[in-house]
Amino acid sequence: MKSVLITGGAGFIGSHLTRLFVTKYPEYHIVNLDKLTYAGNLENLRDIETAPNYSFVKGDICDAELLSSLFDQYDFTGVLHCAAESHVDRSITDPLAFVRTNVMGTVTLLHTVKDKWKDKMEGRIFYHISTDEVYGTLGDEGFFTEETAYDPRSPYSASKASSDHFVRAFYHTYHLPVKISNCSNNYGPYHFPEKLIPLCIHNIINNKPLPIYGKGENVRDWLFVVDHVRAIDTIFHQGKIGETYNIGGHNEWTNIALVKELCVQIDAKLGRAPGTSEQLITYVKDRAGHDLRYAIDATKLKDELDWMPSLQFEEGLSKTIDWYLANTAWLENVTSGAYREYYEDMYGKA
Ligand code: NAD
Ligand code: DAU
């Protein structure tokens, strides 16, 4: 049986990726290494936690000793590296936490893999999951391609860009068999409610203000998380070593239009009068250094590996809202405790 390491498997994307690999590939033993920060939650994996081909290890990717012993124990043939600090606003208040995990953690992991795979790189894959934010920001036109020059502008995107550079450096210098993907904004079940879509769903349900940064004119390209992990699966198994693939939804929305769409859908689902939830929209101070627009050109992935998003956005959004409405206990659980302090720091006690 092949062993595959997933880092950050208890987070939003990591949990969907872990579920996909555990259920689709019974011939792989999946080891999920996660530090369980505020963003990591084993509730996200309840349905697969007793699967015979799944193990969880609580630990930090910065812990070289732990990594070394795990590689000795499992002799991983694949690594899917998802663990990261992922929220831009948190990176503005605490950049060092992002350097520690996203840069130091990634390099510690790369270093271990290089040592453990020395003389046996053939058939092995180190897959680094990255973001479109490394490319910086777009004006009204154009798309990010795999050739777009890096121009990160937040501490988060700078740390992810740095980690991408290290992954490529290990490919060129030590011939580590790497693959990288850079994806646009994900949405879907188990998304931590500090990010725009789950935050607004939570606040609409609870009749709380919907904080829109600046004028709400910033544009993001949204992709259903299950489509993202389908793309990762495709690239992991069929992509070329040393290559980068952009993943996106061709689905651009201004923040204000997106939040209004959420209001319309949730009002209908909760039997509220049309227009009720839109009244919760509140314009607040803009994010520092707020990138205007992200938009991915995913032509390479479509042409070379035949990947396309499977869901229309309105359908994906509807499924996502239904999931949150059916899982209020999950939502209440993750919005208690430390989250409340974070929320009050960011948005006040509203
Ligand atoms: P998330 O914040 O929901 O989850 C991150 C996970 O990593 C958590 O389970 C956390 O406990 C774990 N973690 C954090 N620091 C760790 C450490 N030092 N050691 C071990 N585990 C640690 O993040 P996400 O939104 O699921 O993003 C996952 C990856 O995908 C990140 O690398 C992110 O940059 C990338 N990405 C995210 C998006 C998006 O829209 N969310 C889009 C493109 C790329
Ligand atoms: O593009 C991929 C990236 O998408 C990932 O790499 C990041 O990990 C992920 O967090 C996401 O980053 P964004 O900053 O785009 O996502 P966020 O949900 O934080 O914000 C989306 C947009 O909504 C952005 O323009 C800021 C705005 N916003 C966000 C919040 C939390 C608001 O207007 N109000 C809010 O309260």
Side-chain angles (χ1 to χ4, degrees):
M1 190 185 244
K2 287 183 172 179
S3 292
V4 173
L5 175 68
I6 298 183
T7 69
F12 167 47
I13 296 170
S15 61
H16 286 276
L17 186 62
T18 303
R19 177 174 298 100
L20 178 68
F21 270 64
V22 166
T23 53
K24 186 171 173 187
Y25 300 107
E27 68 275 28
Y28 294 170
H29 184 83
I30 305 298
V31 178
N32 169 14
L33 170 67
D34 196 298
K35 187 180 171 185
L36 298 182
T37 67
Y38 77 93
N41 185 354
L42 291 178
E43 289 295 319
N44 300 357
L45 293 163
R46 277 290 170 249
D47 52 327
I48 55 124
E49 69 184 358
T50 56
N53 64 332
Y54 171 73
S55 307
F56 172 72
V57 177
K58 183 175 183 320
D60 191 330
I61 54 166
C62 299
D63 183 343
E65 239 173 76
L66 170 67
L67 291 176
S68 175
S69 72
L70 282 177
F71 273 78
D72 289 344
Q73 185 180 350
Y74 291 103
D75 189 22
F76 299 114
T77 55
V79 176
L80 289 153
H81 177 35
C82 245
E85 289 292 340
S86 70
H87 191 36
V88 173
D89 293 324
R90 288 183 190 256
S91 82
I92 295 169
T93 48
D94 186 7
L96 274 177
F98 285 68
V99 174
R100 187 181 174 279
T101 285
N102 300 359
V103 184
M104 296 295 291
T106 300
V107 178
T108 307
L109 184 58
L110 285 165
H111 218 273
T112 305
V113 176
K114 169 181 92 61
D115 287 349
K116 300 295 177 181
W117 288 2
K118 196 168 58 166
D119 306 325
K120 52 176 183 183
M121 304 261 188
E122 189 60 36
R124 294 178 192 242
I125 301 162
F126 181 95
Y127 189 129
H128 180 58
I129 287 129
S130 193
T131 172
D132 60 357
E133 300 201 10
V134 298
Y135 299 122
T137 184
L138 292 164
D140 290 340
E141 294 189 354
F143 297 91
F144 298 133
T145 74
E146 289 81 0
E147 311 306 321
T148 303
Y150 275 31
D151 183 21
R153 296 151 56 98
S154 74
Y156 163 69
S157 53
S159 69
K160 291 296 292 187
S162 172
S163 66
D164 291 11
H165 289 318
F166 272 106
V167 172
R168 291 196 183 97
F170 272 65
Y171 168 66
H172 291 292
T173 310
Y174 308 111
H175 310 295
L176 204 72
V178 308
K179 299 180 184 183
I180 300 180
S181 57
N182 296 83
C183 188
S184 63
N185 286 61
N186 284 214
Y187 70 97
Y190 303 111
H191 203 183
F192 194 82
E194 64 187 351
K195 309 279 170 66
L196 181 69
I197 289 182
L199 180 105
C200 287
I201 295 175
H202 177 250
N203 286 11
I204 294 171
I205 295 172
N206 291 292
N207 279 306
K208 287 169 68 177
L210 308 176
I212 306 290
Y213 297 164
K215 294 182 181 157
E217 286 166 355
N218 304 67
V219 174
R220 296 293 182 265
D221 170 2
W222 294 95
L223 179 69
F224 194 56
V225 61
V226 174
D227 277 330
H228 183 192
V229 301
R230 274 182 47 242
I232 294 173
D233 178 19
T234 303
I235 296 164
F236 183 78
H237 288 100
Q238 297 162 39
K240 293 192 196 116
I241 296 291
E243 295 274 320
T244 295
Y245 297 86
N246 279 356
I247 309 171
H250 256 300
N251 177 40
E252 295 180 48
W253 287 73
T254 62
N255 295 334
I256 187 65
L258 171 58
V259 172
K260 285 185 176 171
E261 174 68 21
L262 282 172
C263 291
V264 168
Q265 287 208 21
I266 298 177
D267 280 348
K269 286 178 195 288
L270 293 182
R272 292 179 182 168
T276 307
S277 298
E278 267 194 41
Q279 292 167 25
L280 298 169
I281 290 176
T282 309
Y283 291 90
V284 299
K285 187 165 173 280
D286 208 354
R287 172 184 280 173
H290 197 171
D291 288 339
L292 178 65
R293 174 172 166 255
Y294 306 143
I296 280 278
D297 178 348
T299 309
K300 176 177 175 181
L301 188 54
K302 177 173 180 293
D303 288 355
E304 292 187 12
L305 302 180
D306 202 23
W307 175 91
M308 293 264 284
S310 69
L311 270 192
Q312 291 296 316
F313 187 55
E314 283 76 0
E315 189 189 347
L317 210 54
S318 172
K319 274 188 163 193
T320 302
I321 295 166
D322 289 344
W323 185 86
Y324 280 94
L325 290 174
N327 288 277
T328 45
W330 182 92
L331 203 48
E332 290 319 312
N333 197 18
V334 299
T335 51
S336 60
Y339 175 84
R340 291 216 173 109
E341 282 164 39
Y342 164 79
Y343 192 88
E344 280 167 19
D345 273 0
M346 273 301 292
Y347 305 107
K349 285 197 193 253

